[in-house]
Amino acid sequence: NDMKYRKAFLSGLFAAEGHVKHSTHNTIESIIFAFNPKTEINLSEFTKRCLEKEGITCKINKVKGYLYFNNYNKMLRFYLNGLLDLHKDKKEKFENLIKNAKFYLHFKEIFSINFNDTQKKLSKKFGLSQATFSKWKTGNSLNLKIAQKLFTNLDFIKYIDYISISNNKIKDKRIIDYIISVFLK
């Protein structure tokens, strides 16, 4: 129940038995803890309860011997809580893979993107099709990597309603701030 000890336990266990699994797209697929399915079922159940106290639900495969979670909200919360910090290589792998993800910014209705040039000129400038640029301009959503090219300051951040990736909707401000910091340095 003590947060300090729980985080120390999870960090140490991840450093020893954890893995950042990557997808074929070279992005993060899941975070996994391996265990011996014959002798460590209690350990996996205890680890699951500890993760749940950190706001991270997970699943246990008792046949193959691993505990895993794959939602970006959960994986980023795990990272931001410092639970990858004990193993430098695993932490670096996570940080490198997150840079390959395709995040989309979704803005509150009051935010509109005003551009001083025509869509045709802007789409050419940014190497996009005009249809793609129009979709982003009028749909209140924008690919994060395009936002990186479009905005020179970070004033637009206050208008972000949420960030999406795959079928994950990220509303946690701490996670949003981290994602923005990775792409918009």
Side-chain angles (χ1 to χ4, degrees), residues 10 16 33 50 65 68 73 79 89 120 128 141 147 158-159 172:
L10 289 169
F33 287 84
C50 289
Y68 68 99
N73 281 293
Y79 171 82
D89 292 340
K120 185 175 182 177
L128 307 169
S141 68
K158 62 186 171 191
Y159 297 106
D172 184 314

Side-chain angles (χ1 to χ4, degrees), residues 4 16 27 32 59 126 131 158-159 163-164 166 185:
K4 182 174 79 172
T27 58
I32 297 171
K59 295 181 180 179
F126 295 111
K158 62 186 171 191
Y159 297 106
I163 293 179
S164 67
S166 184
K185 290 182 179 181

Side-chain angles (χ1 to χ4, degrees), residues 11 19 29 46 81 103 118 122 133 150 153-154 177 180:
S11 295
H19 178 66
E29 184 173 299
F46 178 73
N81 285 350
F103 291 102
T118 66
L122 287 165
F133 190 85
L150 294 176
N153 64 45
L154 301 180
D177 289 344
I180 296 296

Side-chain angles (χ1 to χ4, degrees), residues 155-169:
D155 289 343
F156 73 95
I157 292 172
K158 62 186 171 191
Y159 297 106
I160 294 173
D161 188 24
Y162 64 93
I163 293 179
S164 67
I165 178 165
S166 184
N167 62 351
N168 296 192
K169 187 184 270 190

